[in-house]
Amino acid sequence: MIETIAFYTFSAVTIVMFWIVVSSKNALYSMSALAAGMITISGFFFLLDADFLGVVQIIVYTGAVMALYAFGMMFFDTTREVKENIRAPKLVFLLSGLTALILVIAFAAPIVSDHIKAFYPMVEGVQNPQAVGIVLFTKYLVPFEVAAVMLLVAMIAGIILAGKKMDESLTLKIEEEFQEKGSK
C-alpha cells in the first residue's frame, strides 16, 4: 500500500517537474525543475531495491549533467533578466514543506515494508552492481552504446554552439552600454 502511494507520488512529481521544464520561459526555473525531476526518477529505482542505479541516477544525471547545464547557463548569461516576483510567499513555503514531507515519506516507504517482489529475481551470490553490469553489458549492450554515442553527439554540438558565441563578450557589451549611458 505504501509502495503504491510512493509510486504515484513520484510519478505525479516527476510529470509536474518535467512539465515545468518544457513550459517555463526562465532557464533557471527549467534547470531547477529538471534537477528535481531527475532526483524523483531515482526514487523509482530505490522503490525497486535498485540502490546502485538510484545513486548513479543522482550522481551522474543530477550531478554531472546539471553541472554542464549550469555552466552553459552561466556562459550564455541567461539569468540577467530574472526578476523574482513571488505573490504568495506563504503558499510557496507551505507547498515546499508538503513536498519535502511527501518525499521523506516516499523514501522511507521501502525501508518500512518488505512486500516488494521483483519479476526477475537476482542471482544468488551476485551483488547489485555486479548484476547491473551483467545485464547492462549482455542484454542491453547495444542501447547502452547508442546512449553513449548520443551523449557524445550532444557534447560536440554544445561545444560547437558555445564556440560560435566565444568571440562576443557579454560583459564587454554591458560595460559599453553602461559607458554610453553614463556619457549621455
Side-chain angles (χ1 to χ4, degrees):
M1 174 67 180
I2 290 180
E3 294 88 9
T4 305
I5 293 170
F7 173 78
Y8 285 116
T9 302
F10 280 134
S11 299
V13 171
T14 303
I15 289 169
V16 167
M17 287 299 123
F18 288 133
W19 178 77
I20 291 171
V21 169
V22 297
S23 65
S24 178
K25 293 180 181 178
N26 187 335
L28 185 62
Y29 294 156
S30 293
M31 193 175 84
S32 300
L34 184 64
M38 288 180 178
I39 288 175
T40 56
I41 286 174
S42 71
F44 292 116
F45 292 118
F46 291 121
L47 283 174
L48 295 171
D49 288 334
D51 301 330
F52 177 74
L53 288 178
V55 170
V56 166
Q57 172 75 23
I58 291 173
I59 292 171
V60 172
Y61 288 108
T62 308
V65 173
M66 294 310 296
L68 288 174
Y69 284 143
F71 176 74
M73 205 171 93
M74 289 184 294
F75 183 76
F76 290 115
D77 200 18
T78 59
T79 59
R80 68 178 174 263
E81 297 175 6
V82 174
K83 293 181 178 83
E84 291 293 328
N85 186 12
I86 299 174
R87 294 181 190 97
K90 291 181 181 177
L91 179 64
V92 172
F93 180 75
L94 177 69
L95 290 176
S96 300
L98 286 175
T99 302
L101 180 65
I102 289 171
L103 287 174
V104 167
I105 291 170
F107 275 114
I111 297 169
V112 174
S113 178
D114 292 329
H115 299 295
I116 299 175
K117 292 189 174 50
F119 290 119
Y120 302 102
M122 298 292 291
V123 178
E124 293 297 324
V126 175
Q127 299 295 323
N128 194 0
Q130 291 171 328
V132 169
I134 290 169
V135 172
L136 190 62
F137 291 112
T138 56
K139 185 176 180 182
Y140 296 110
L141 180 63
V142 173
F144 181 72
E145 293 298 327
V146 169
V149 170
M150 288 173 54
L151 287 171
L152 178 66
V153 169
M155 183 180 67
I156 292 171
I159 291 170
I160 291 171
L161 288 173
K164 289 181 179 179
K165 297 278 185 180
M166 290 189 82
D167 53 348
E168 299 177 17
S169 173
L170 293 174
T171 308
L172 291 176
K173 284 184 178 182
I174 292 171
E175 287 177 2
E176 289 173 1
E177 290 174 9
F178 183 72
Q179 289 175 353
E180 289 175 7
K181 288 180 183 178
S183 63
K184 288 182 181 180

